[in-house]
Amino acid sequence: MRRFSSKAFLAGLIVGTVILALVGSVVRPPHLISNFRRFTISFNTRWFLATARELKAIVDATPRDKIVVVVGGSSVMQGATQAGSMVWTDALQQQLGERYVVLNMAQRSGASNDTGNVVAEMVLKDRRPLVYVCDAMVDHFGYLPIQSRYQPIVFDAWRRGYLIDWAPRDEAMRSALWSESATLRGVAWGALLDFALNFKDLWNYATFEWSGTIWNEVDRAASFTALRAVTDPEPTPEWIKANMPQLRAVTPTDMSLLHRMLAAPDRAHWSGVTTTTETYFPPPLRAVTMVLVDLNNPAFLDELTPEERDRFMAQARFVQNLIERSGFAKVAIPETGFGSEDFNDRVHLSVQGGHKLAGIVAPQIKAMATDLGYRP
Amino acid sequence: MVFLTYEFVAVAAAFYAAFYLCRSQIIREGLLVAFGVLFLFIYGGLTSVLIVLALALMAFHAGRFAGRAWNTAAILICAANLIVFKYTRFLLLSGVGLLLPSFATQAAGLSQQILPVAAPLGISFFTFEFIHYLVDVRHGRSPIRKLRDFSAFALFWPTMVAGPIKRYEQFLPALRTGLSGPTRDDLAEGLGRVAIGLVKKWFADNLTGWIAVSEVGYDAMTLDMRWIFLVAIAARILLDFSGYSDIAIGFARMLGIRVPENFNWPYLARSPAEFWQRWHMSLSSWIRDYIYIPLGGNRLGPGRRVVNGLTAMVLCGLWHGPSWNFALWGLYHGVGLAAASLLGKHRPFLRPEPGLSLWLAHRLLTSAHAAVSWSGTMLFVALGWLLFFYPVDRAARMAAGLFGY
């Protein structure tokens, strides 16, 4: 007796794959879209990165008559260490008023040319009014694809045609299929396969709505839990207050990071930054982008020598000029008036600091919107 | 794991499509070899390609045309190649370093500059396959006549990275069957086997994450959690390795080619010897045929048998990596095999006796013996995994921790 019919097995495999691909092309996790506030470390870190279609669904869920303010970039912009209900972009939304809708697409360890960039370009492609707000560090701006953990999102969006046509980037994305880096090749091939099979959309949906499918080492308690049930894990102000001495303690690691920022840059480095910027930011996006150069907690900067502090500030201004020369609408160093109480650690803003940043940035966004000719 | 990369899926899909569509056996064989070279190039780099091709050509030539002296030389070159690329640093620092520490450190530094950062892809596997080929031909078996057949054997990509270790006498007929055209059953059963492997890998990868995070807090664990940790380690390595073997065997089967099995429910074994008949079978049979038996096996008396067994198992351990804990793991299993062999000789009460009550007593004793044998074997194997994964002192502390120390 035959154990099983290979004909039926193969037919089932083909039909099943087609059905799953079709299901993947239509499902979107409703809880991600309707309740979206920001991405957190519980998801969208290493596994189950948001797909371009999910991001597009988030964009499409915003009212079309509003000016969209997309916030992208690093954990500073994401509001890391600010509890979910007190994140600075909520304050920014309040300050901007109902005419605007703010989408916080920044990520921990993110860069200005990953998730935020993707969503901003989706808005631009829809011909909707947009202001993109992102950040730069005093030693770099934007990541090469090989450096960013969120690149699958960019490749997915590019493959599905959500990004603006920009020849230098298109060429870089195409050539990634044959990159020397196995990681980058994997990302590029993954996007190509997913374009046909939609498996990431399907898995994200199942994981978000029904059940986690992996043991989650970042948030262990959330392992095998549907991600929609996982709360924003950023610490509460009470926890921050209780742990303030440790958080604000200047450690050798912090100082070595600061020294590295000062030591690394040379002509070749800055040339690389310019190339990355000009390759991965299409000019139409640059024209509606405000870049904020992140400084650090003054209490930490005080540990540097006066000469190092001067160099740090000079470098921040240098980065500002460098980015401005690439055609970005506005580049600001907003944190010069910030005190140590505005930070929770070396670089992340406290709730108070976040509100202060929102207060500084909101009028500038409004001014930019006026300059760009958006209807007030 | 190279099989779990998107680019592999894309490129392999194209390869299978071409393999199925083409009707000529020669072209199919050419495709198989070409994809093997591409696979080796993508995941191992040009160095791997050049080394495998050079050794393959040498082994083919030595087996087909050369005499015994050249055959011996080819075997030695294969073995030396493995030692140089995989064990140079270990031998220098752990062997020479005991006598001449500063010289060993300098030489190890120099070797790092000369040798590639990573050993050629699958070096432990293709070396063993070439040695097996050369030894068997030396013992009078027919060599492979055609270079393209030998190339298909040497560059067979499904087994290239992690086995199973093939035998050419079995592979060639299987290759002929595959080249004549894989059937729908081959495709279905191969895909099914790949799916089983993927499910095992999923379990293994989740366990890996849990183990990586949990091992930091091992000393603070409760006793029962430590035992669960041990079970998790044992389950992880079986699921990971047998999952990989399933995928490799499945990919080969999709080509209509059957390769040897590697695992046969090893955690059902009731003695260390049975464990090795079920665990990584293609390696254990290789060690038996090409190390243990040539050393004399059990033909030279009990003393030599033990020494041969220990030597074979230490080499088996070292095959897994250039580190003392692997050697000790092999030695541990060698001692276990010798001890179990000794114990196995003294089981007079298990002889079946006539009469119902005696028959029942016999059944009871047999079952009890089976349960004790299985438990003892599993405890022995599981404790061995601590040696396999952790430095010796850490493994010893972890093992003591299991018993409350």
Side-chain angles (χ1 to χ4, degrees):
Chain A
M1 195 179 82
R2 287 170 64 85
R3 276 183 296 140
F4 74 108
S5 159
S6 57
K7 198 172 181 179
F9 175 84
L10 292 172
L13 188 73
I14 292 166
V15 172
T17 304
V18 171
I19 289 173
L20 290 176
L22 287 173
V23 172
S25 72
V26 294
V27 288
R28 308 281 176 272
H31 290 87
L32 172 68
I33 293 153
S34 58
N35 301 328
F36 185 79
R37 179 175 248 133
R38 65 172 164 179
F39 289 112
T40 72
I41 58 167
S42 287
F43 61 99
N44 215 51
T45 47
R46 190 180 306 174
W47 308 283
F48 305 110
L49 290 179
T51 66
R53 280 199 175 120
E54 287 166 356
L55 296 176
K56 185 71 168 71
I58 293 171
V59 170
D60 290 345
T62 58
R64 287 197 68 84
D65 59 336
K66 306 214 175 197
I67 298 169
V68 184
V69 176
V70 175
V71 174
S74 73
S75 52
V76 176
M77 296 282 103
Q78 187 250 6
T81 75
Q82 295 162 15
S85 57
M86 299 173 190
V87 64
W88 80 279
T89 40
D90 283 6
L92 181 64
Q93 177 69 72
Q94 274 194 331
Q95 302 247 2
L96 288 171
E98 288 187 358
R99 178 75 185 93
Y100 293 81
V101 58
V102 178
L103 291 175
N104 185 344
M105 293 290 165
Q107 308 266 21
R108 277 182 177 255
S109 302
S112 297
N113 58 333
D114 50 45
T115 320
N117 191 331
V118 164
V119 171
E121 291 190 43
M122 286 174 176
V123 176
L124 270 184
K125 272 203 119 174
D126 277 357
R127 299 178 186 282
R128 294 174 63 184
L130 165 79
V131 175
Y132 180 41
V133 181
C134 59
D135 63 341
M137 305 292 153
V138 295
D139 62 343
H140 75 269
F141 175 54
Y143 279 142
L144 284 169
I146 198 169
Q147 297 168 311
S148 165
R149 66 169 60 162
Y150 302 103
Q151 277 309 304
I153 296 174
V154 184
F155 275 85
D156 185 21
W158 177 76
R159 193 51 77 182
R160 293 187 188 281
Y162 289 133
L163 301 186
I164 298 167
D165 293 337
W166 175 233
R169 181 175 60 189
D170 295 343
E171 178 52 35
M173 304 297 258
R174 264 193 298 272
S175 63
L177 285 172
W178 314 108
S179 164
E180 283 184 18
S181 156
T183 309
L184 192 56
R185 282 200 312 268
V187 170
W189 282 102
L192 183 62
L193 285 178
D194 200 38
F195 179 67
L197 296 174
N198 306 306
F199 51 82
K200 283 184 183 164
D201 283 291
L202 184 66
W203 277 111
N204 271 18
Y205 178 82
T207 305
F208 210 90
E209 297 295 325
W210 296 338
S211 170
T213 50
I214 54 159
W215 188 78
N216 188 335
E217 73 180 41
V218 179
D219 190 353
R220 294 173 215 171
S223 296
F224 306 107
T225 303
L227 290 179
R228 69 183 161 80
V230 176
T231 52
D232 190 328
E234 291 296 345
T236 59
E238 292 74 33
W239 188 92
I240 295 278
K241 199 173 170 186
N243 291 278
M244 194 56 82
Q246 295 97 301
L247 288 168
R248 288 192 182 157
V250 182
T251 65
T253 310
D254 291 312
M255 293 314 294
S256 91
L257 270 170
L258 285 173
H259 284 123
R260 210 164 60 204
M261 283 185 200
L262 289 167
D266 55 14
R267 182 185 283 264
H269 171 83
W270 293 120
S271 166
V273 169
T274 304
T275 307
T276 306
T277 304
E278 296 187 349
T279 304
Y280 294 99
F281 284 89
L285 181 64
R286 292 181 224 166
V288 294
T289 297
M290 173 195 296
V291 183
L292 307 174
V293 181
D294 294 328
L295 293 184
N296 279 247
N297 187 334
F300 285 65
L301 294 181
D302 285 347
E303 297 292 319
L304 297 171
T305 64
E307 186 269 332
E308 285 172 334
R309 271 200 300 278
D310 289 345
R311 262 172 51 210
F312 192 90
M313 287 308 300
Q315 200 167 298
R317 283 190 290 275
F318 178 81
V319 170
Q320 182 182 23
N321 291 331
L322 192 78
I323 300 170
E324 273 174 348
R325 280 205 301 273
S326 292
F328 284 80
K330 185 166 184 61
V331 188
I333 307 178
E335 295 167 31
T336 44
F338 283 46
S340 64
E341 69 283 0
D342 294 317
F343 290 85
N344 279 336
D345 53 25
R346 180 181 61 79
V347 70
H348 297 115
L349 294 168
S350 61
V351 171
Q352 175 188 315
H355 278 66
K356 196 183 266 188
L357 181 66
I360 294 168
V361 172
Q364 299 188 24
I365 291 173
K366 286 181 175 173
M368 260 182 79
T370 306
D371 292 346
L372 291 165
Y374 301 152
R375 192 170 51 81
Chain B
M1 178 187 176
V2 293
F3 291 154
L4 296 184
T5 59
Y6 294 120
E7 65 180 330
F8 171 77
V9 174
V11 180
F15 162 75
Y16 276 107
F19 193 86
Y20 288 129
L21 287 174
C22 104
R23 295 283 166 220
S24 157
Q25 290 199 28
I26 291 180
I27 295 176
R28 274 199 180 124
E29 195 165 17
L31 274 173
L32 195 59
V33 173
F35 191 72
V37 174
L38 180 69
F39 183 90
L40 199 55
F41 178 72
I42 291 175
Y43 297 109
L46 188 60
T47 313
S48 295
V49 175
L50 295 176
I51 289 168
V52 173
L53 288 182
L55 286 179
L57 279 172
M58 181 196 71
F60 173 73
H61 190 270
R64 179 79 174 84
F65 305 110
R68 285 179 72 84
W70 280 108
N71 185 296
T72 308
I75 291 170
L76 290 174
I77 289 170
C78 284
N81 179 70
L82 178 65
I83 291 167
V84 166
F85 279 106
K86 196 167 167 181
Y87 299 99
T88 298
R89 192 174 159 75
F90 171 72
L91 290 174
L92 282 170
L93 294 177
S94 303
V96 180
L98 296 175
L99 299 170
L100 304 163
S102 64
F103 168 77
T105 309
Q106 283 181 357
L110 189 65
S111 74
Q112 269 189 314
Q113 290 171 12
I114 296 168
L115 296 172
V117 178
L121 186 76
I123 188 170
S124 306
F125 293 91
F126 68 73
T127 302
F128 273 29
E129 290 183 348
F130 292 167
I131 291 176
H132 132 74
Y133 171 73
L134 290 163
V135 170
D136 281 16
V137 169
R138 186 186 174 83
H139 287 164
R141 289 183 189 265
S142 302
I144 297 176
R145 303 261 160 213
K146 293 174 183 162
L147 181 59
R148 65 167 192 265
D149 287 346
F150 192 86
S151 304
F153 171 67
L155 294 161
F156 188 62
W157 61 268
T159 60
M160 199 179 277
V161 181
I165 300 166
K166 309 184 296 294
R167 302 290 181 99
Y168 83 96
E169 301 94 333
Q170 294 150 12
F171 181 76
L172 281 189
L175 176 70
R176 291 270 83 81
T177 308
L179 294 180
S180 65
T183 63
R184 203 167 48 215
D185 283 358
D186 290 328
L187 178 61
E189 288 185 20
L191 279 169
R193 193 70 186 265
V194 171
I196 290 169
L198 289 173
V199 171
K200 285 184 184 176
K201 284 291 290 180
W202 177 84
F203 276 108
D205 288 350
N206 277 291
L207 279 173
T208 300
W210 182 79
I211 289 165
V213 171
S214 304
E215 69 190 8
V216 182
Y218 180 86
D219 294 336
M221 279 181 192
T222 57
L223 204 59
D224 52 348
M225 277 308 292
R226 287 178 188 167
W227 281 97
I228 289 172
F229 182 82
L230 186 70
V231 170
I233 288 179
R236 188 266 301 263
I237 188 167
L238 172 64
L239 290 166
D240 189 54
F241 196 6
S242 73
Y244 197 100
S245 291
D246 284 333
I247 294 172
I249 292 166
F251 279 139
R253 186 65 197 275
M254 286 167 67
L255 298 166
I257 298 171
R258 289 173 191 258
V259 292
E261 290 293 333
N262 235 4
F263 294 87
N264 180 24
W265 301 93
Y267 290 160
L268 294 181
R270 286 187 267 173
S271 70
E274 190 185 350
F275 174 76
W276 280 102
Q277 284 158 14
R278 293 166 172 268
W279 179 273
H280 203 172
M281 297 183 300
S282 66
L283 172 68
S284 55
S285 61
W286 194 99
I287 296 281
R288 181 196 63 208
D289 294 345
Y290 300 102
I291 296 178
Y292 179 69
I293 291 174
L295 284 174
N298 54 7
R299 303 186 304 275
L300 304 172
R304 272 299 295 273
R305 179 186 177 183
V306 170
V307 171
N308 293 340
L310 291 179
T311 308
M313 290 311 293
V314 168
L315 290 175
C316 173
L318 274 175
W319 178 88
H320 290 83
S323 168
W324 280 119
N325 59 314
F326 290 126
L328 280 170
W329 175 76
L331 183 66
Y332 170 86
H333 270 275
V335 170
L337 283 165
S341 162
L342 204 66
L343 284 173
K345 285 181 180 166
H346 304 287
R347 292 187 299 177
F349 58 87
L350 289 177
R351 289 201 194 101
E353 301 288 348
L356 182 62
S357 57
L358 285 173
W359 181 83
L360 278 173
H362 165 71
R363 293 292 299 175
L364 201 65
L365 279 171
T366 306
S367 303
H369 180 265
V372 170
S373 301
W374 177 79
S375 307
T377 304
M378 287 308 102
L379 180 65
F380 171 77
V381 169
L383 290 175
W385 292 132
L386 293 176
L387 261 181
F388 189 87
F389 286 114
Y390 299 101
V392 180
D393 52 341
R394 172 84 173 133
R397 275 204 311 278
M398 290 171 91
L402 289 165
F403 300 96
Y405 296 107

